């Protein structure tokens, strides 16, 4: 798919595709082969018109009235999202959150292989996180460049996150999952997604 | 603030308030007392008009041209978000993710005190997570009702999450932070926020 078509699809629609894929995998596990968009919608709490529209950006994967083949839709969505391959990922920060990330098996199971963990604290460098030995951030650039890493997860304190982002971007990283509770300033071509559970909690306490 | 006003504010605007609060706390730590909306916007990557509009739902907290008092804005946003108090929270699921959540100090530091952890596996029940002893999900209802818990975090496998959600909602829980990789079906008055890092990663690999 040429770059131009990719950019035409609204980011909010792209953000829903992983939810579709996740639900479809679950539906497949339950033994279902074909699913109508309104049934898929029920699983997701999303309207069927929205689902059909989102999928139509990529040419549409089903015919009106017959439903989608679950297996084919999984295959095609996986290809669209480029998750029909394994991605090597580096984690920066081996504190509380970085440790949890590094030990979480769900990443590997869903195609994201954490291959490197970096930290700047002498006490942590050289310790093991499962199979991985924590490396010094002094060798961050060398490792990222050598292995052409495109995706990193940042789990350093807020005050260090921007500097780490700048460093990894200079090495060619273009996708950052940021667990540090701070907004990152990055060039337009770099994608950043944020995970801060407190922000989610606070947007609910508003209603309590 | 009466219920009706609360519901008038778009959910997407409510979702940005915690980001404003987080940035303002950081700005305050850096010794800044007054901030203009365009400066706050720079910290957040959000336009100043958007910020002013979001804050105007609550009567506006600053005067044109003079900037916001950082301390007052923090105080008022904290009150709006009801985070000027401590919330007692229960975690359900003491596996990989539940353990990480229970040990993460950031929750307590920002007003969410994890008081209970539940699991259904005999091997885990009775073990300690820091100061907390993991309880059996058999006493889930009793504990939630007795302590009038409103917020839970669900960290059980996808196949168990809906049933757990139904049970906690029956006990009066109305805010769920869901780490299980599945959409939850809940009544309208219950708020659910989702955390699935794979979904975030996959919405970035699309662009790689």
């Amino acid at each position: 798919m040429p770059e131009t078509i990719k950019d035409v699809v609204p980011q909010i629609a792209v953000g829903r595709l992983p939810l579709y894929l996740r639900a479809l995998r679950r539906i497949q596990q339950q033994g279902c082969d074909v699913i109508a968009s309104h049934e898929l919608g029920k699983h997701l709490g999303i309207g069927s018109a929205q689902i059909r529209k989102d999928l139509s950006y990529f040419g549409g994967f089903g015919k009106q009235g017959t439903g989608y083949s679950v297996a084919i839709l999984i295959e095609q969505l996986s290809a669209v999202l480029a998750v029909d391959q394994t991605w090597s990922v580096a984690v920066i920060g081996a504190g509380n959150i970085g440790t949890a990330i590094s030990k979480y098996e769900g990443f590997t199971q869903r195609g994201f292989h954490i291959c490197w963990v970096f930290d700047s604290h002498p006490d942590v460098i050289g310790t093991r996180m499962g199979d991985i030995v924590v490396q010094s951030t002094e060798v961050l650039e060398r490792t990222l460049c050598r292995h052409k890493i495109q995706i990193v997860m940042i789990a350093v304190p807020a005050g260090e996150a921007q500097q780490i982002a700048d460093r990894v971007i200079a090495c060619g990283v273009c996708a950052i999952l940021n667990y540090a509770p701070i907004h990152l300033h990055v060039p337009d071509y770099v994608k950043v997604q944020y995970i801060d559970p407190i922000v989610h909690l606070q947007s609910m306490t508003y209603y309590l």
Side-chain angles (χ1 to χ4, degrees), chain A:
Chain A
M1 193 165 29
E3 197 59 33
T4 46
I5 292 179
K6 241 179 206 192
D7 294 336
V8 159
V9 184
Q11 205 160 336
I12 196 160
V14 173
R16 281 189 290 264
L17 301 182
L19 298 175
Y20 300 164
L21 183 59
R22 192 179 75 176
L24 287 161
R25 289 216 169 113
R26 196 166 158 68
I27 287 160
Q28 190 179 47
Q29 277 170 5
Q30 292 167 345
C32 178
D33 294 331
V34 176
I35 192 158
S37 55
H38 74 270
E39 288 168 319
L40 182 56
K42 271 192 218 162
H43 280 267
L44 288 156
I46 296 175
S48 59
Q50 183 72 72
I51 293 174
R52 285 196 302 272
K53 188 177 177 198
D54 288 345
L55 296 179
S56 74
Y57 287 113
F58 307 96
F61 302 121
K63 278 182 219 156
Q64 187 79 32
T66 61
Y68 298 103
S69 155
V70 174
I72 292 176
L73 193 49
I74 287 175
E75 193 183 308
Q76 292 180 311
L77 276 178
S78 298
V80 165
L81 291 169
V83 290
D84 51 355
Q85 57 183 290
T86 299
W87 292 91
S88 298
V89 178
V91 174
I92 301 138
N96 215 323
I97 298 176
T99 302
I101 294 169
S102 308
K103 290 184 178 170
Y104 177 49
E105 291 164 10
F107 287 119
T108 306
Q109 286 161 9
R110 289 159 80 188
F112 296 92
H113 189 51
I114 295 174
C115 300
W116 301 276
V117 179
F118 296 92
D119 202 286
S120 59
H121 291 84
D123 292 352
V124 181
I125 296 164
T127 61
R128 295 189 83 86
M129 300 264 167
D131 294 339
I132 305 166
V133 176
V134 178
Q135 294 190 58
S136 166
T137 45
E138 282 177 20
V139 297
L140 182 63
E141 281 79 358
R142 204 170 64 203
T143 309
L144 294 182
C145 292
R146 183 185 298 163
H147 298 282
K148 299 190 172 64
I149 303 306
Q150 291 182 272
I151 307 172
V152 305
M153 305 193 209
I154 294 183
V156 300
E160 299 168 27
Q162 183 63 55
Q163 198 203 353
I164 289 291
D166 295 343
R167 287 174 62 186
V168 301
I169 291 166
C171 298
V173 165
C174 44
I176 296 173
L177 188 60
N178 181 31
Y179 284 84
I182 191 170
H183 176 81
L184 295 177
H185 297 273
V186 301
D188 283 345
Y189 71 89
V190 176
K191 301 294 171 189
V192 185
Q193 294 270 325
Y194 295 88
I195 294 192
D196 182 351
I198 309 286
V199 165
H200 290 279
L201 286 169
Q202 291 181 340
S203 70
M204 295 193 289
T205 50
Y206 171 82
Y207 295 99
L208 299 187

